[in-house]
Every structure is written in structure tokens, then in C-alpha cells.
Amino acid sequence: MRRRREVLVGFLLILPALLVLAVLYIYPLFLSMYMSFTVSNRFSLANYGKVFDIYWRDVVYSVMISLITTFATLVLSVLISGYLRFKNWRFLDLMYKLPLFIPFLIVGHAMRVFLAPHGTLNNLLTRILRIEELPGLSRSWIGLVWAFVWIMTPYATLIVLGAFKSLDSAYIEAAQNLGANKVKIVLDVLLPMCRPSIMVAFILTFVRTISSLTIPIMVGPASPNMITVSMMFRVNYFNDWGTANALGVVSYLIVMVFAIYYLKFMAAERGGIKA
Amino acid sequence: MRQFSILRLTLKLVLVVLILLLVVGPFVGIVLWSFARIWYWPSPIPQEFTLRYWSEVFRQGRVLNSLTLSLRIALITVVFSISIAIPAAYAFARYKLPVERILLFLFLMPQAFPQLPVFINLARVFGRIGLRGNMWGIILAHTMASLVFSLWIITATFKSIPLDLEQAAQNLGASRFRVFWTITFPLGIPGIIAGAIHVFLWSMGEFNAAFFIGAPFIQTAPVLMYTASAGYNMQIASVIAIILMVPSLLFMLIIEKFLKAEYIAGIGG
């Protein structure tokens, strides 16, 4: 009897949040799937036909950009985390976190100014190298990846470093006693033992990259586009919600395997910590 | 030995300069642009400086209107998001529920899947019920999206409060409700405030929902910034960028000691 009352109270406490989520998240999510299969109120695959005809390049491009971004971000995160696991360098500790809370749109604008042909970076480089002109990196895939890596690294590092620090020092000392140097310890001890956290960093970086709209519209090239930009054009210029939603569903499918791994891992973690 | 240390010092100095260039470099350009009247390549600094664009922030007009609108949306979103998150977080932290895993799945989903299609469809739904081009539409979307991360911050806060305190009060005959209001809630206030600031900053800088749901009648500060930047009005865009950026940086500096990855999922936008 008491147990039943406890469950009831618990549910009542969660209910408002659940309602908000159901009406404002789950419902539009299903709507996007439903709309993607609808053309003038009838079931049709025409929207997906359009995606494959017009946007297959954008889909491939989005996946490629997201993968390159994610790998670069992870390499950087492991480098920073590996260093900070052994040495306490306050400057680096502060610097890697700096971009953490800055809104993506502002990063896009700042990077556009920084990487433009006549931007801050080239202003500096042309002076150092004593040349007249340098091509800008903004509006190219390199500039896009640069902006993404800049904003994704802090959070990924926070995850990886957290995992590195929570690992028992005994493992590291044991490896050191056997004569392993720090690089070897990072590669052979820390990385394998923190694999789940690194997976989570990988997944979150990938998902956040492929679902970002603001950074590609600010610094990305005019063509090919990230899927999100194509979605925006479909809605704004063609008023074509069907194809926009089909693109959305394609982006769900791309992250599906990752998302399921992440949800399982997090549910196990969070469900497992009971005070 | 001494030569070795000089070499190391030089190496460290090069590294410091490089890190500063990569991390702080992108801010330099926008700060200069916000004060620039005339700035032609290849000059490293603007030819003529002005405070005109900064004064526009305080004068009645587009910039001020968009900032006050963003401020109102963010403040109301904080109230909604936090007041819905507190009871749910307490339930996640202290109650054993039968389908807890499924609930966790649901509340984590927005972080695991792209959110843009959801906002686009919300804009469509809101269009039918008159919430498109309306402040409240944006507030609802922001409440949903920020709920997910405010919930985890506050859940973690409640979990970190020792159970003994609550049990002691209960043994003395306090009801569960009273225990919460006299013990758990006051002790959780720092975490709740951190969550509130996080939601506030996120809402201030959010673009996607504000753009699709706010169109075509209302412009939040980020949407105006995008419009200005797309129209090559670098000064206005940079002024808004700095105004939105400084609080984020300050917040990071204040809470960086307590930062843990699991508390701050869902950042960006």
C-alpha cells in the first residue's frame, strides 16, 4: 500500500515535465516522420525520392564533415586530457573550457570574421609570411570543420578528462613501474579503460555537429550544404515541408545506431546512481 | 641543464601564444568590428573608430527591442523550465519508479537526436494555433528544449544531498513535503541557481527555434544578429555577439571549478 502511494506521488512529480516533453517534443517528432511520407494528404515516397535526387550529395557531405569533425575533436580532447591528467597546467585548464557556453550562432559569426579572406587570421599570417594575399578559410569545408572543432572540443574534453581523472591511479602507477612512458600510458591504459566515455564523447560530438544549423549558414560553403541548411531552404524558399521532414528523418536514421548506444549507456549510468 | 630549461620555456611560450591565437583569436575581430566606423584591408585595425553602434544598444530601436524581447523570453523560460524540472528531478533522485529506464530514455532523447526537425514541425503546429510569430511560441519551445538539461543539473544536485539529513527529519515526524521544503530544497539552491543561469544563457543565444517560430513578426537578438551578419552589417552583428557572449564567458569562469560533463549536456544551439 505504501509502495503504491510512493509510485503514484513519484509519477505526479514527473507528470508536468512529461506532458511538456510529450506535447512539445514527442508529438512533433512523430509529426515529422508522418509528414515525410505524405504528399497532398496521401501516403507517398515522393519526398524521399526528392531527397535522393537533389540532396544525396548533401547527405554524404554532412556525414563526412561530421566524421572529420568528430575525429579531429577526439584527437584534440585526448591530447588535452592526457596532458592535464599528469600535469596541472591552470592556463590550459581554463583555455580549453573558454568556448563552452558560447552560443553556436556567435561562434559562427566570430569564426566568419576570424577566417575570412581579409579576416583576423590572414591579417596576422600575411604579416608574418610577408605575402600580399591568402585565400580565406571561411566558406570552405576546412573553415566549417575548424569552427565545429573549436566549439565541440571543450565539451568532449570535459567528458574524456572526467573519465581519465576518475580512473584509479593504481593502474597508471603500475604501468609506470613497468617502465611505460606517459604517451604509452595514455594509449595503452587510459584509452582502453575509458572506452565508454570516449564513445559518449564521440556520439555527442557527431550528433551536435550533424544537427547544427547556425555554424554552416555562417561559415559553410554555398554548396554542398549540410542537411540542416537544406532543410531550412526547403521550408523558407519552397514552403516544402514534406521534403524538409524527409531530410529530418534521414538525419535521424544517420544517428540512430549512435543514439541507441548513448541512451542505453546513459540510462544505465543514471539509473544506477541512487543515493 | 640550464639550456634545457630555456628550451622548455621557449616551447611553453610558443604553445601559450598558439593556444591564445586559436582560442581567443576569434574574439579579437568581433571586438574591433563593434567599434569600427571604417575598416579597409590590409590595415590590422579600423581606420576610424566610433561608439555609434554601441550607443544603439541603449537607444530605442531594433537592437534594443530585440535584446529586451530575448531577455523577456529567457526570464519566463527560466521560471517555466526550472519550476517543472524541480519536482521531476526530486522524483528521479529520491523515488524508485517502475518504468524509470523508459522515462530516462524519453528525457534523454532530445540530446541523442537532431532537434531541428522538431522545431520546424513545432513552428508548423504553432502556425495553426496562432503561436507562430508570437513570443509565447518561442517560450514553449525553449521550455521544452531547456527542460532536458535543467532536469539533469537539478537531479544531480538533489542526489548529492546526504540522505541522512532527510531521514533524520522524517524520524522526527516531518512529512515528506515538509522535509523537501525545509531541507532538500534549501540545500539544493546552488545547483538550482546554476541550472537557472544555464537555461537563461541558452535561451538568450538560441537561434533555431527563435528563427522558425518567431518568423515573420518577431526578432530575438540572435535572429537580428543573423540578419545583420548576412547583410554584411558587421558592426551591429558584432555588438550583439559580444553582448550575448560576455555573460556566457563569465558564467563559465564562475562555475568552472564545479563543471562536470554529465551536468551540462545539451549546450550549444
Side-chain angles (χ1 to χ4, degrees), chain B residues 194-215:
Chain B
I197 296 173
H198 189 179
V199 172
F200 176 83
L201 292 173
W202 177 86
S203 170
M204 284 295 288
E206 202 278 340
F207 173 80
N208 297 350
F211 178 76
F212 285 102
I213 295 168

PDB file of all heavy atoms in Angstrom, chain B residues 194-215:
ATOM      1  N   ALA B 194      22.458  27.445 -10.561  1.00  0.00           N
ATOM      2  CA  ALA B 194      23.333  27.136 -11.700  1.00  0.00           C
ATOM      3  C   ALA B 194      22.496  26.680 -12.895  1.00  0.00           C
ATOM      4  O   ALA B 194      22.725  27.113 -14.029  1.00  0.00           O
ATOM      5  CB  ALA B 194      24.342  26.058 -11.316  1.00  0.00           C
ATOM      6  N   GLY B 195      21.512  25.834 -12.617  1.00  0.00           N
ATOM      7  CA  GLY B 195      20.626  25.380 -13.685  1.00  0.00           C
ATOM      8  C   GLY B 195      19.870  26.540 -14.312  1.00  0.00           C
ATOM      9  O   GLY B 195      19.753  26.637 -15.538  1.00  0.00           O
ATOM     10  N   ALA B 196      19.382  27.446 -13.463  1.00  0.00           N
ATOM     11  CA  ALA B 196      18.618  28.591 -13.959  1.00  0.00           C
ATOM     12  C   ALA B 196      19.472  29.482 -14.846  1.00  0.00           C
ATOM     13  O   ALA B 196      19.037  29.912 -15.927  1.00  0.00           O
ATOM     14  CB  ALA B 196      18.059  29.390 -12.782  1.00  0.00           C
ATOM     15  N   ILE B 197      20.708  29.755 -14.414  1.00  0.00           N
ATOM     16  CA  ILE B 197      21.591  30.609 -15.224  1.00  0.00           C
ATOM     17  C   ILE B 197      21.888  29.938 -16.562  1.00  0.00           C
ATOM     18  O   ILE B 197      21.889  30.577 -17.612  1.00  0.00           O
ATOM     19  CB  ILE B 197      22.909  30.919 -14.470  1.00  0.00           C
ATOM     20  CG1 ILE B 197      22.604  31.729 -13.208  1.00  0.00           C
ATOM     21  CG2 ILE B 197      23.864  31.703 -15.359  1.00  0.00           C
ATOM     22  CD1 ILE B 197      23.791  31.932 -12.308  1.00  0.00           C
ATOM     23  N   HIS B 198      22.107  28.631 -16.502  1.00  0.00           N
ATOM     24  CA  HIS B 198      22.394  27.890 -17.722  1.00  0.00           C
ATOM     25  C   HIS B 198      21.229  27.983 -18.717  1.00  0.00           C
ATOM     26  O   HIS B 198      21.418  28.254 -19.902  1.00  0.00           O
ATOM     27  CB  HIS B 198      22.681  26.440 -17.352  1.00  0.00           C
ATOM     28  CG  HIS B 198      23.201  25.637 -18.491  1.00  0.00           C
ATOM     29  ND1 HIS B 198      23.544  24.324 -18.383  1.00  0.00           N
ATOM     30  CD2 HIS B 198      23.419  25.964 -19.782  1.00  0.00           C
ATOM     31  CE1 HIS B 198      23.954  23.887 -19.554  1.00  0.00           C
ATOM     32  NE2 HIS B 198      23.890  24.853 -20.412  1.00  0.00           N
ATOM     33  N   VAL B 199      20.013  27.779 -18.214  1.00  0.00           N
ATOM     34  CA  VAL B 199      18.825  27.881 -19.064  1.00  0.00           C
ATOM     35  C   VAL B 199      18.709  29.297 -19.622  1.00  0.00           C
ATOM     36  O   VAL B 199      18.439  29.497 -20.811  1.00  0.00           O
ATOM     37  CB  VAL B 199      17.544  27.515 -18.271  1.00  0.00           C
ATOM     38  CG1 VAL B 199      16.289  27.820 -19.091  1.00  0.00           C
ATOM     39  CG2 VAL B 199      17.570  26.051 -17.873  1.00  0.00           C
ATOM     40  N   PHE B 200      18.942  30.291 -18.774  1.00  0.00           N
ATOM     41  CA  PHE B 200      18.851  31.691 -19.187  1.00  0.00           C
ATOM     42  C   PHE B 200      19.812  31.987 -20.349  1.00  0.00           C
ATOM     43  O   PHE B 200      19.413  32.519 -21.384  1.00  0.00           O
ATOM     44  CB  PHE B 200      19.165  32.596 -17.998  1.00  0.00           C
ATOM     45  CG  PHE B 200      19.193  34.055 -18.332  1.00  0.00           C
ATOM     46  CD1 PHE B 200      18.017  34.786 -18.391  1.00  0.00           C
ATOM     47  CD2 PHE B 200      20.391  34.704 -18.595  1.00  0.00           C
ATOM     48  CE1 PHE B 200      18.028  36.133 -18.718  1.00  0.00           C
ATOM     49  CE2 PHE B 200      20.419  36.052 -18.924  1.00  0.00           C
ATOM     50  CZ  PHE B 200      19.235  36.767 -18.979  1.00  0.00           C
ATOM     51  N   LEU B 201      21.075  31.595 -20.176  1.00  0.00           N
ATOM     52  CA  LEU B 201      22.079  31.860 -21.212  1.00  0.00           C
ATOM     53  C   LEU B 201      21.750  31.117 -22.499  1.00  0.00           C
ATOM     54  O   LEU B 201      21.882  31.655 -23.597  1.00  0.00           O
ATOM     55  CB  LEU B 201      23.466  31.434 -20.724  1.00  0.00           C
ATOM     56  CG  LEU B 201      24.052  32.266 -19.594  1.00  0.00           C
ATOM     57  CD1 LEU B 201      25.336  31.635 -19.093  1.00  0.00           C
ATOM     58  CD2 LEU B 201      24.317  33.686 -20.062  1.00  0.00           C
ATOM     59  N   TRP B 202      21.302  29.869 -22.346  1.00  0.00           N
ATOM     60  CA  TRP B 202      20.984  29.075 -23.529  1.00  0.00           C
ATOM     61  C   TRP B 202      19.850  29.725 -24.307  1.00  0.00           C
ATOM     62  O   TRP B 202      19.908  29.848 -25.530  1.00  0.00           O
ATOM     63  CB  TRP B 202      20.602  27.648 -23.114  1.00  0.00           C
ATOM     64  CG  TRP B 202      20.208  26.823 -24.273  1.00  0.00           C
ATOM     65  CD1 TRP B 202      21.039  26.110 -25.087  1.00  0.00           C
ATOM     66  CD2 TRP B 202      18.880  26.657 -24.798  1.00  0.00           C
ATOM     67  NE1 TRP B 202      20.305  25.501 -26.073  1.00  0.00           N
ATOM     68  CE2 TRP B 202      18.990  25.829 -25.931  1.00  0.00           C
ATOM     69  CE3 TRP B 202      17.623  27.126 -24.426  1.00  0.00           C
ATOM     70  CZ2 TRP B 202      17.881  25.445 -26.682  1.00  0.00           C
ATOM     71  CZ3 TRP B 202      16.527  26.759 -25.181  1.00  0.00           C
ATOM     72  CH2 TRP B 202      16.659  25.928 -26.293  1.00  0.00           C
ATOM     73  N   SER B 203      18.818  30.165 -23.579  1.00  0.00           N
ATOM     74  CA  SER B 203      17.661  30.775 -24.233  1.00  0.00           C
ATOM     75  C   SER B 203      18.034  32.098 -24.917  1.00  0.00           C
ATOM     76  O   SER B 203      17.581  32.380 -26.025  1.00  0.00           O
ATOM     77  CB  SER B 203      16.554  31.003 -23.202  1.00  0.00           C
ATOM     78  OG  SER B 203      15.526  31.786 -23.751  1.00  0.00           O
ATOM     79  N   MET B 204      18.884  32.882 -24.255  1.00  0.00           N
ATOM     80  CA  MET B 204      19.319  34.160 -24.837  1.00  0.00           C
ATOM     81  C   MET B 204      20.008  33.953 -26.189  1.00  0.00           C
ATOM     82  O   MET B 204      19.878  34.778 -27.092  1.00  0.00           O
ATOM     83  CB  MET B 204      20.313  34.871 -23.915  1.00  0.00           C
ATOM     84  CG  MET B 204      19.729  35.551 -22.697  1.00  0.00           C
ATOM     85  SD  MET B 204      18.637  36.924 -23.026  1.00  0.00           S
ATOM     86  CE  MET B 204      19.733  38.206 -23.589  1.00  0.00           C
ATOM     87  N   GLY B 205      20.757  32.875 -26.324  1.00  0.00           N
ATOM     88  CA  GLY B 205      21.554  32.686 -27.536  1.00  0.00           C
ATOM     89  C   GLY B 205      20.940  31.726 -28.535  1.00  0.00           C
ATOM     90  O   GLY B 205      21.540  31.450 -29.572  1.00  0.00           O
ATOM     91  N   GLU B 206      19.737  31.205 -28.241  1.00  0.00           N
ATOM     92  CA  GLU B 206      19.155  30.169 -29.095  1.00  0.00           C
ATOM     93  C   GLU B 206      18.648  30.764 -30.406  1.00  0.00           C
ATOM     94  O   GLU B 206      17.955  31.779 -30.410  1.00  0.00           O
ATOM     95  CB  GLU B 206      18.009  29.477 -28.349  1.00  0.00           C
ATOM     96  CG  GLU B 206      17.690  28.100 -28.867  1.00  0.00           C
ATOM     97  CD  GLU B 206      16.806  28.110 -30.094  1.00  0.00           C
ATOM     98  OE1 GLU B 206      16.118  29.110 -30.368  1.00  0.00           O
ATOM     99  OE2 GLU B 206      16.801  27.081 -30.783  1.00  0.00           O
ATOM    100  N   PHE B 207      18.965  30.107 -31.512  1.00  0.00           N
ATOM    101  CA  PHE B 207      18.595  30.642 -32.821  1.00  0.00           C
ATOM    102  C   PHE B 207      17.511  29.823 -33.529  1.00  0.00           C
ATOM    103  O   PHE B 207      16.524  30.390 -34.005  1.00  0.00           O
ATOM    104  CB  PHE B 207      19.832  30.728 -33.714  1.00  0.00           C
ATOM    105  CG  PHE B 207      19.525  31.104 -35.138  1.00  0.00           C
ATOM    106  CD1 PHE B 207      19.308  32.425 -35.489  1.00  0.00           C
ATOM    107  CD2 PHE B 207      19.432  30.125 -36.130  1.00  0.00           C
ATOM    108  CE1 PHE B 207      19.008  32.772 -36.803  1.00  0.00           C
ATOM    109  CE2 PHE B 207      19.128  30.468 -37.438  1.00  0.00           C
ATOM    110  CZ  PHE B 207      18.926  31.789 -37.777  1.00  0.00           C
ATOM    111  N   ASN B 208      17.671  28.495 -33.580  1.00  0.00           N
ATOM    112  CA  ASN B 208      16.808  27.675 -34.444  1.00  0.00           C
ATOM    113  C   ASN B 208      15.317  27.851 -34.158  1.00  0.00           C
ATOM    114  O   ASN B 208      14.543  28.153 -35.056  1.00  0.00           O
ATOM    115  CB  ASN B 208      17.179  26.192 -34.322  1.00  0.00           C
ATOM    116  CG  ASN B 208      18.590  25.934 -34.787  1.00  0.00           C
ATOM    117  OD1 ASN B 208      19.225  26.805 -35.361  1.00  0.00           O
ATOM    118  ND2 ASN B 208      19.094  24.744 -34.543  1.00  0.00           N
ATOM    119  N   ALA B 209      14.922  27.619 -32.906  1.00  0.00           N
ATOM    120  CA  ALA B 209      13.501  27.738 -32.563  1.00  0.00           C
ATOM    121  C   ALA B 209      13.040  29.185 -32.737  1.00  0.00           C
ATOM    122  O   ALA B 209      11.965  29.447 -33.278  1.00  0.00           O
ATOM    123  CB  ALA B 209      13.258  27.268 -31.133  1.00  0.00           C
ATOM    124  N   ALA B 210      13.871  30.133 -32.294  1.00  0.00           N
ATOM    125  CA  ALA B 210      13.504  31.548 -32.380  1.00  0.00           C
ATOM    126  C   ALA B 210      13.312  31.967 -33.834  1.00  0.00           C
ATOM    127  O   ALA B 210      12.432  32.767 -34.156  1.00  0.00           O
ATOM    128  CB  ALA B 210      14.577  32.402 -31.721  1.00  0.00           C
ATOM    129  N   PHE B 211      14.106  31.397 -34.723  1.00  0.00           N
ATOM    130  CA  PHE B 211      14.046  31.760 -36.135  1.00  0.00           C
ATOM    131  C   PHE B 211      12.792  31.198 -36.805  1.00  0.00           C
ATOM    132  O   PHE B 211      12.056  31.931 -37.460  1.00  0.00           O
ATOM    133  CB  PHE B 211      15.295  31.249 -36.841  1.00  0.00           C
ATOM    134  CG  PHE B 211      15.338  31.528 -38.317  1.00  0.00           C
ATOM    135  CD1 PHE B 211      15.633  32.805 -38.787  1.00  0.00           C
ATOM    136  CD2 PHE B 211      15.091  30.515 -39.235  1.00  0.00           C
ATOM    137  CE1 PHE B 211      15.678  33.060 -40.148  1.00  0.00           C
ATOM    138  CE2 PHE B 211      15.134  30.766 -40.600  1.00  0.00           C
ATOM    139  CZ  PHE B 211      15.428  32.042 -41.060  1.00  0.00           C
ATOM    140  N   PHE B 212      12.532  29.902 -36.618  1.00  0.00           N
ATOM    141  CA  PHE B 212      11.402  29.286 -37.308  1.00  0.00           C
ATOM    142  C   PHE B 212      10.061  29.622 -36.669  1.00  0.00           C
ATOM    143  O   PHE B 212       9.065  29.760 -37.361  1.00  0.00           O
ATOM    144  CB  PHE B 212      11.577  27.756 -37.378  1.00  0.00           C
ATOM    145  CG  PHE B 212      12.600  27.340 -38.386  1.00  0.00           C
ATOM    146  CD1 PHE B 212      13.870  26.956 -37.994  1.00  0.00           C
ATOM    147  CD2 PHE B 212      12.296  27.362 -39.739  1.00  0.00           C
ATOM    148  CE1 PHE B 212      14.815  26.587 -38.937  1.00  0.00           C
ATOM    149  CE2 PHE B 212      13.244  26.989 -40.688  1.00  0.00           C
ATOM    150  CZ  PHE B 212      14.510  26.605 -40.285  1.00  0.00           C
ATOM    151  N   ILE B 213      10.041  29.728 -35.329  1.00  0.00           N
ATOM    152  CA  ILE B 213       8.775  30.002 -34.653  1.00  0.00           C
ATOM    153  C   ILE B 213       8.505  31.507 -34.593  1.00  0.00           C
ATOM    154  O   ILE B 213       7.370  31.947 -34.676  1.00  0.00           O
ATOM    155  CB  ILE B 213       8.769  29.362 -33.240  1.00  0.00           C
ATOM    156  CG1 ILE B 213       8.832  27.837 -33.392  1.00  0.00           C
ATOM    157  CG2 ILE B 213       7.520  29.751 -32.460  1.00  0.00           C
ATOM    158  CD1 ILE B 213       9.114  27.098 -32.110  1.00  0.00           C
ATOM    159  N   GLY B 214       9.551  32.297 -34.471  1.00  0.00           N
ATOM    160  CA  GLY B 214       9.380  33.749 -34.378  1.00  0.00           C
ATOM    161  C   GLY B 214       9.029  34.395 -35.705  1.00  0.00           C
ATOM    162  O   GLY B 214       8.374  35.432 -35.748  1.00  0.00           O
ATOM    163  N   ALA B 215       9.445  33.754 -36.814  1.00  0.00           N
ATOM    164  CA  ALA B 215       9.174  34.329 -38.129  1.00  0.00           C
ATOM    165  C   ALA B 215       7.666  34.454 -38.343  1.00  0.00           C
ATOM    166  O   ALA B 215       6.910  33.627 -37.853  1.00  0.00           O
ATOM    167  CB  ALA B 215       9.778  33.423 -39.204  1.00  0.00           C
TER     168      ALA B 215
END
